Structures are given as structure tokens and as C-alpha cells.
Amino acid sequence: MRRNLLFILMSIEIMLNAAGLAFVTAGARWAQADGQVMFIFILAMAASEVAVGLALLLQFYRQNESLDADAARQMKG
Amino acid sequence: MLELLFLVPVIPFASFIWLIIVGPRTSRNAVAAVGVGSIAVCTVISLVITGAYLASPPAGGAFTQVLWTWISVDGFTPQIAFYLDALSLIMMLVVSFVSFVIHLYSAEFMLESEGYSRFFAYMNLFVASMITLLLANNLLLLYLGWEGVGLCSYLLIGFWYQDSANGAAAQKAFIVTRVGDTAFAIGLFLLFTHLGTLDIQALMQRAMQQWPVGSTLAIVASALLLGGAVGKSAQLPLQTWLPDAMAGPTPTSALIHAATMVTAGVYLIARTHVLFSLAPPTQFAVAVVGAATLLLAGCSALVQHDIKRILAYSTISQIGYMFLALGVGAWAAAIFHFMTHAFFKALLFLVAGVVIQALNDEHDIFRMGGLRKDLPYAFWGFVIGGSALAGLPLITAGFYSKDLILWQTWNSDHGSVALWIAGLVGVLLTSLYIYRLIFVVFYGEKQMEVSHRPRWRIKIPIIVLSVLSLVGGFVNIPQMFGNVPALANLLHSALPEVVERHAAGITEGLSEGIAAIAFALGLALAYLFFLRKQGLAESMATSAAGRVIHRFWFADWGMDWLYDHLFVRPVIWFAHVDRNDFIEAFYTGVALLTEFSWRALRATENGRVRWYAAGITAGTVVFIAIVLWT
Amino acid sequence: MSVTAFYIAAVIAVLTTFLVITRKNAVQALLYLAVSLIAVAVIFYDLGAPFMAALEVIIYAGSIIVLFIFVVMMLNLGKRATAAEATLLRPRMWIGPTILAAILLAEIAYLLARGNTAASAAHLIPPREVGLALYGPYLLGVELSSMLLMGALVGAYHLGWHTQPKPETQDVRREHATSPDAGRGPVRSGSGRTVGAA
């Protein structure tokens, strides 16, 4: 597990990319355009998610002085 | 006129309700007016009913007034109904009159205490319950009144509840009488199971028809009822609660623990006399209990120094006399003694209250002295009441009733010489302890100053009761002095006559003479020990044997110690041991389980995002696995 | 020919992805990620989705990775962060998730093995067909994703707002507290708040 928020976001991108790859492959397998359409949606979503996520990351860093995900423990019950 | 009967228990009950709800918000004068007034109305109605009854007695000597049917289940139909015959008439009259006088006294006596309306509420509830008990026509309603008076006794003993010792005394009273009440209840079950009814008159008839004399059922049933009576009337072996019950206010002690509640046992036995007649062993037990108690309590009274405790032991002793009378079959004599005892014992308690209040709550008689001139009403009250208690010949009520009992003890078919001698020794002891009390408190050197003098609301009850203690005996004058057995004649419509043994060795007059000698001896000894040669009493008390006897009698013949070791400690030990048994472990286990789950769940909420993400992943893996392989 | 290209690109993609997650330096990891994305683009082209390949390079590798790099440069973490990362890459840390991932991999492999895997040649699906599909049956999705992008834009703008520290709020309260006092006389002193009023 990585605690650095940046790496967490990177890993999310990798996952999304992998899902997109699966979609396109499936679309090519059955010769339909749907897979590529899904991939476009995924791409759009990944872009917006990166934008918001990085903005949050900047705020997080400003508040906690580090990128350690474990530093955000105020919700500890 | 007799239809007014139901008002006698209902009016005090209504005033109880008013006093509980509205009482705390009104003035003391209003509370006193309602509290005392309700009992006054009761007394007036009782007098009216008495007049009507005597003028034209109802058929069969008994009048029944049914209000409604209480329970109706499969042949068991007790009613709320009142039964008036000579026995309940006398008792109702005495109870309501003495209650009225004591309520009037407490209107002034309780002024300094807080909870004025609460006190009158409880006292009124008590009177309502007692009258219900006396007038009940079936044993279930009687038991209701029985429990009611027990409840009020508890409430009133612990009246000043801020002091936990009072609460403990109230608990002791309740628990000890509970033992008796349980026996009573079992007796009721037995009677109902075998005779099919609890209506008293029907019960007596069926018992006479179905149970031969000396049958086991009769013996067991009457023994159980005796158990109940012994608890409520503070006889051996359940007498330990009454001396501690003196923690309550003095009017309570006067009303409940001298004149009325403690005589409920006597009433019960008199009411169910048929059962006792059918069970000679039990009846003999009644007499033995009475005789033993009167001696035991007399000895204990002799060494006490709390003024109210002396009177408490005296009450136990006098009720022993009543039980003795019941045991030898002298039913009317027992009721006669109840009546006179109510007068002089209430009087004694009331004037004891005057003394206590005058000396700012001092109870120890050896710290009092020389109060003769300062508290004349108290002094004369004590003299008259004490002499009535001891049985000063001819002019006091106690003389007539006590001597009647002594004579019947010798004379009756069930009596014996041994019982008569026990009664005589009791007379000596009674005279000794009461004159000891009077001499120590009112003669000698004054040790404390009087700070509080009684006013009219206290003086009038004292005067009234003193007069009654003097003339109350004239309702039943024995053969020697004029032979006017008016009371006995009246009661014969309800209670059987004494079966006499005609091979008597002595006459009634001789018995009375010997009793008078015993009285005089006691008085003389008291005079000697406590007025003249006080050193003699001291030396006797501090000798080796004297000290042992003194301690033994002081502690009520060790009965408290006995009960403590026999019953209380084992139960407490067992409760401690049982505290952590396996059932407890079950509940503790539930708590521990909850705490454990809490800890476990708390650990999952650690606020770390990675942890939550891992949780999601693991969940996904599991779900996919489930979908694939099921 | 296309088969070997596919395998080479696949191996590069897996390898570089593994390298991404095991680097200590954020910039190194990002660069490897870029390479991985380009390898995936090659695979797309091989599968007959040239438009997707182009999009992958332009948007994913081109703008998203660049955004990441911008943020890393802005944060300017330095050597200390790199050293901290090193202490955290212990086997104890990654053994659990690795097991979970391995189970997932096994499930997917099982699924693939079970399904009908008639390996067919990759058909070329021209962008024209994709466009027709997008503005045909998937029109709603297009509109929704446009709204999503709009929301992300606004959100990122707000979240990135650099707030200036406000002046002490006590001053503001004191200013407000004087106004209720205006009506009272000199009898009442203090802040005008009733003490202990529940």
C-alpha cells in the first residue's frame, strides 16, 4: 500500500486505463462500436476526476503539511 | 340507622384521598380540621349505630350490609360487605373513639414536624383499613384491611424517613409481620380449598359440620391463623418488631401500636373462634403463647430505660393477657381487656409524648426526674393510666378486666393453675415496672428543665382517656361487687360463654384478692427500689448475676440476636455468595460481548482512507467469488 | 506482424506499470506511467481502434500526466519525501493488497478461460461508426459527460482557491456587539450578553 496521495491518484488512473482497455478489447472482439464509446466516456470521467482530485490534493497538502493519506484521521471513531 | 355502617370506613378513606392530593397545598388548620374531623364524624356515626343496635338489635344479633361483589370467579365470590354484630360493634366503637382522641392530640403534637398533611393522611388511611378489617364479613376483605394496617404501620414508623434508622425499624416491622401474614394467607388458601368459602359466618358453619373436634385440618388451619395473629399482635416469637417501632411519632405508637393494630390478632382469633374451638391443641397453644409472652415482656420492660420502649413491652405483655384469655376460652374477657387496654395504653403513650416533647425529645427516663410539679397533666395521666395498667383495685378499669381474665384462667375448662400463676406473676411485674417508670420520671431530683407545655388539644384527650380508664371497667362488674356483666351479656350474642369448671379451688373473690396483693407487692417493691433505697436497686443490678440478667432482659431475652444469627446472616451470606453465580455470568457475558464488539467495530473506523479502500477491494473480491462459484 | 507488435506493446505496458507502483520518486513514476499509456495506445491501434489510440495519447498521456507533473513540481516535495517513501515500502505493507490482487487476477483468468475464446482477427472500426454510435443511442451519455466535465471544472476551480487568512473574527464580533448596547443606558456594563442564559 502506498500512503502518498499522489501515488494513490496515479494508481486510480492506471485502474481506469485498464478498464478502458478491457472495454475496447471487448468491442473489437465482437466488432461493435460500443466498446470504444465506453472508452470515450471513461476518458472524460478520468479527466474530470483527475482535475478535482489534484485540486483536493493541493488543499490536503496545505492543511496537513504532508501527502500522507493517514494524516487525515479526524474521522477516527 | 344501621345502613350508615358503610360510612364508617369510607369517610376516613375519602379524607385520606383529599389529604394526599390537596393536603400539602392547604394550611395546617385545614388539614387538621379534615383529618380530625373525619374521625370525629366516624365516631359520631359509630355512636349512633351503637344506639340503634342496642335499642333494637337486628335479627340474629347481626346486620350485614353488602356494597358489591368484589370477585366472581367459579364459585369464589367474596363481596365488599360489612358485618355488624356485638363483637365488631364494640371494637368499631372503641377504635373510632380512641382514634378520634388521638387525632385531636396529634393536631397539636405534630405541629413542629414537617409532613403534617402526610401524617394525617396516613393516620386516616390506617383508621379506614382498621375499620374495614373489623367490619369485614369475609376473610379476604379482612386480609385487605390487615395488609392496609400493615402498610400504614410501615409508613408511619418510618415517617421521619430522613433518618435511615427509622426506615430500618419500619422495614423490620413490615418483614416480621410479613412472616405472620404469609402464614395467614396459607391458612386462607387451606380454608378455601377445604371449605369452599371465605365468608366468615358460612365458614364457621361449614367447619362445624365438616370437621370433627381435633381434626388435623382444623388444627393446621387455626395454627396458621394463629401465626398471622402472632405476627400482627407482636407475640412470641414475632414480637421483636414492636419495641423498635417506637421510632415513629408518639401518636402513631399510641394509636397503632397500642390500641388498635396490635389488637387485630386478638380480633382475628375471636372472630374465627369456631376454628379454635375445633382444635384444642391450637387453643392451648394460644394460651401458652399468651402466658409466655406476658412474662417475657414483663421482665424486659423492667430493665429498659427508654420511656417508649417500656410502654412497648408493656403492650406486648398486655396483649399476652388477651391471648391468654382467648386460649382458655374466655372470649368476652379478652375483648373487655382490649377495651380497657385501649383506653389506658393510649393514655400512657399520649402523656409519654407530652414528657418527651417537654424535654426536647429526651427518651431516657434516667435523665428525667422531678417532673411532678412542672407537668401536672402528664403526672396525673401517668398515675391514672399506670394504675389502670397495673390494676389498682376497684377504681380502675384495668382491675376489672384483668381480674376477669385471671379468674377465667383458673375457672375455665381449658384453663389451668399454671396459667393462673403465670398471670399473677405478670401482675406483679406490671405493677413493678410501671411504678418504676412513674417514680423515676416524676419523683426525685429534676435533671432537665421543661420547655414545652401542652395546650387544650393535648389536655382534653388526656382528661377524656383518664376518665375512661377509671370508669371503663364498670361495664362489666363481677359477682362480688354487684354482678353487672353488661359487656359479657352483650358479647354473648357473638361469642360463646366460658365453659366453667365447677371443681374450682378458689372463688372469684379470692382470686381477685390475691391479684390485689400481687399489685400491692409490686407497688411496694417499686417504692422501695426506686424511691427510698435506690442504692439497693443499683447493687442488685451491678452484681455479677444481676448484670447478666439485666443484659439478657434488656435485649428482649436475646431474641434479636437469635434471629439475626439464625435468619438474617445466612440470607445475607447466601446473597453475597450468589452474587456471581452462573446466571450473573450470563448477563456479565452479554455486557462483555457488547464491549468486545464495540472495540472491534471501533477499530475499523480509523479514519484512514487506505484502510477503507482495502475494505472495498476485499469486499469486491468476495462478491465476485460468490457470484462465480455459487 | 501485428501479433508481435501486440505482444511487445503488452509486455512493455505491464512492465512499466509495475515500475510505476514501485518507484519512490514521484516524477520517475509519472514518466513510467506515460510510457505505459503510450504502450496501451499501440495496443489500441493494433485492435483496430485508431481513434482511441489517438485519444489515449492526446488526453490521457498528454493532458492528465502533464497535470500530475505540474502538481508535483508545485508541491516541491524534495528528498525528505523520497526518503519517507522508502521507509514505507516494506513487504509488510504490500503483502496484503498483493494477495487480494492475485485473487482478482485468478478470477479474471478463470473467467477468460471459461468463456468462448474464439480468437478472431481484429476488425477495424472506423471513427465514423464510433461517432454515429455516440450521437445515436449514446446521446444521453454524451450530454451527461459534458455536464460532468463542467462540474469538474467548477469544482476544481473552487477547490483550488487559495484562501487568504481572515482577520481575527473577534473584531467582527465586537463590532456587532456594540449595536444592541446602543439602546441601553449606563446601567448595563459588559459585553451585553446575558450571562448564563440558557
Side-chain angles (χ1 to χ4, degrees), chain B residues 336-546:
Chain B
F336 184 28
H337 195 58
F338 150 75
M339 189 175 89
T340 58
H341 175 262
F343 296 146
F344 59 70
K345 192 47 69 62
L347 171 64
L348 282 171
F349 267 104
L350 294 189
V351 292
V354 171
V355 171
I356 292 173
Q357 224 181 25
L359 296 180
N360 288 333
D361 246 12
E362 179 59 63
H363 284 242
D364 190 339
I365 59 173
F366 289 110
R367 291 205 210 126
M368 309 174 186
L371 295 173
R372 200 161 78 247
K373 300 270 169 22
D374 289 327
L375 293 174
Y377 274 86
F379 173 63
W380 283 108
F382 256 107
V383 166
I384 294 175
S387 305
L389 171 63
L392 183 66
L394 293 180
I395 54 169
T396 56
F399 167 72
Y400 291 103
S401 60
K402 200 181 288 195
D403 277 19
L404 187 59
I405 293 180
L406 285 175
W407 168 238
Q408 307 279 24
T409 314
W410 177 283
N411 194 25
S412 151
D413 205 21
H414 299 274
S416 71
V417 183
L419 291 172
W420 179 78
I421 293 179
L424 268 184
V425 173
V427 171
L428 174 66
L429 285 172
T430 308
S431 173
L432 190 53
Y433 68 64
I434 196 65
Y435 284 112
R436 164 182 180 259
L437 175 64
I438 295 177
F439 290 146
V440 169
V441 171
F442 291 102
Y443 287 79
E445 285 179 33
K446 194 148 64 150
Q447 297 185 40
M448 287 179 71
E449 281 303 323
V450 170
S451 67
H452 200 271
R453 294 251 160 79
R455 283 200 279 272
W456 69 271
R457 281 186 287 191
I458 290 187
K459 287 185 186 168
I460 290 188
I462 294 180
I463 295 174
V464 168
L465 286 175
S466 305
V467 168
L468 282 171
S469 301
L470 290 176
V471 307
F474 295 141
V475 296
N476 202 58
I477 304 178
Q479 235 164 359
M480 219 174 79
F481 305 112
N483 199 17
V484 183
L487 187 66
N489 286 342
L490 175 63
L491 284 172
H492 283 154
S493 62
L495 296 169
E497 291 206 16
V498 173
V499 178
E500 298 196 358
R501 215 176 15 166
H502 289 288
I506 57 173
T507 63
E508 189 173 357
L510 192 55
S511 163
E512 285 172 13
I514 297 179
I517 293 175
F519 163 79
L521 187 60
L523 172 56
L525 283 173
Y527 182 75
L528 182 67
F529 283 134
F530 298 105
L531 212 52
R532 283 283 160 210
K533 292 207 185 137
Q534 276 142 341
L536 205 58
E538 291 283 327
S539 62
M540 268 182 74
T542 50
S543 70

Side-chain angles (χ1 to χ4, degrees), chain A residues 18-40 42, chain C residues 43-44 46-50 52 118 120-126 129-130 133 138:
Chain A
L21 175 60
F23 268 112
V24 171
T25 312
R29 161 78 179 81
W30 275 288
Q32 285 173 341
D34 298 331
Q36 301 190 19
V37 168
M38 273 318 296
F39 181 73
I40 291 186
I42 288 176
Chain C
I43 297 175
F44 280 164
D46 192 57
L47 282 178
M52 295 305 114
S120 54
H123 305 272
L124 177 71
I125 298 177
E129 262 190 58
V130 178
Y138 289 102

Side-chain angles (χ1 to χ4, degrees), chain C residues 55-70:
Chain C
L55 275 185
E56 174 92 1
V57 172
I58 296 171
I59 297 178
Y60 231 125
S63 58
I64 291 178
I65 301 297
V66 169
L67 203 55
F68 264 103
I69 293 181
F70 277 167

